[in-house]
Amino acid sequence: MKQIDKKVADSYFRERVRLIVIFLIIWFIVSFGVVMFAESFKNMTFNGFPFHYFMGAQGAIVTFIVLLFINAKVSDNIDKKYGISEEKNEQLSAGKALDH
């Protein structure tokens, strides 16, 4: 198996951790931020519903699904940037594991 330079691996890991932290911050704001400030959002409406109710009922779920797709796309781009390929990994591991 190909050895990866430590600087490249550290850079890759830093980028992935930064991405995870950004997504966790967005998750926290969408999940808890709206609830914490629900009183101040009570005059705002979205599709005829109070904003805090909409975010709790549907908005947070839609945001999480969108975050999943964004994460997949950005992660693929990071992998390509550092030369990590799913096809290459499959070729390297072919025949080394038992199919159950």
Side-chain angles (χ1 to χ4, degrees):
M1 189 171 269
K2 180 178 137 184
Q3 285 286 66
I4 298 173
D5 184 37
K6 181 161 176 30
K7 287 183 180 181
V8 173
D10 288 344
S11 180
Y12 173 79
F13 184 70
R14 243 189 327 277
E15 227 175 303
R16 294 298 302 241
V17 169
R18 183 180 55 85
L19 182 66
I20 291 168
V21 168
I22 290 170
F23 286 140
L24 284 174
I25 290 169
I26 294 170
W27 166 81
F28 181 82
I29 290 170
V30 169
S31 295
F32 298 106
V34 174
V35 173
M36 284 191 259
F37 301 106
E39 196 64 34
S40 59
F41 291 136
K42 71 179 180 183
N43 295 331
M44 293 174 56
T45 60
F46 188 85
N47 284 344
F49 294 102
F51 181 72
H52 64 281
Y53 174 78
F54 174 79
M55 285 303 291
Q58 294 175 345
I61 296 168
V62 170
T63 302
F64 299 147
I65 292 170
V66 169
L67 280 177
L68 288 173
F69 285 104
I70 292 171
N71 180 44
K73 185 65 177 161
V74 173
S75 293
D76 285 346
N77 290 340
I78 292 172
D79 289 349
K80 286 178 189 173
K81 177 180 174 183
Y82 289 97
I84 298 171
S85 169
E86 187 67 32
E87 293 82 24
K88 216 182 280 184
N89 288 340
E90 287 175 0
Q91 287 174 354
L92 289 172
S93 65
K96 294 184 181 175
L98 295 175
D99 290 319
H100 293 282

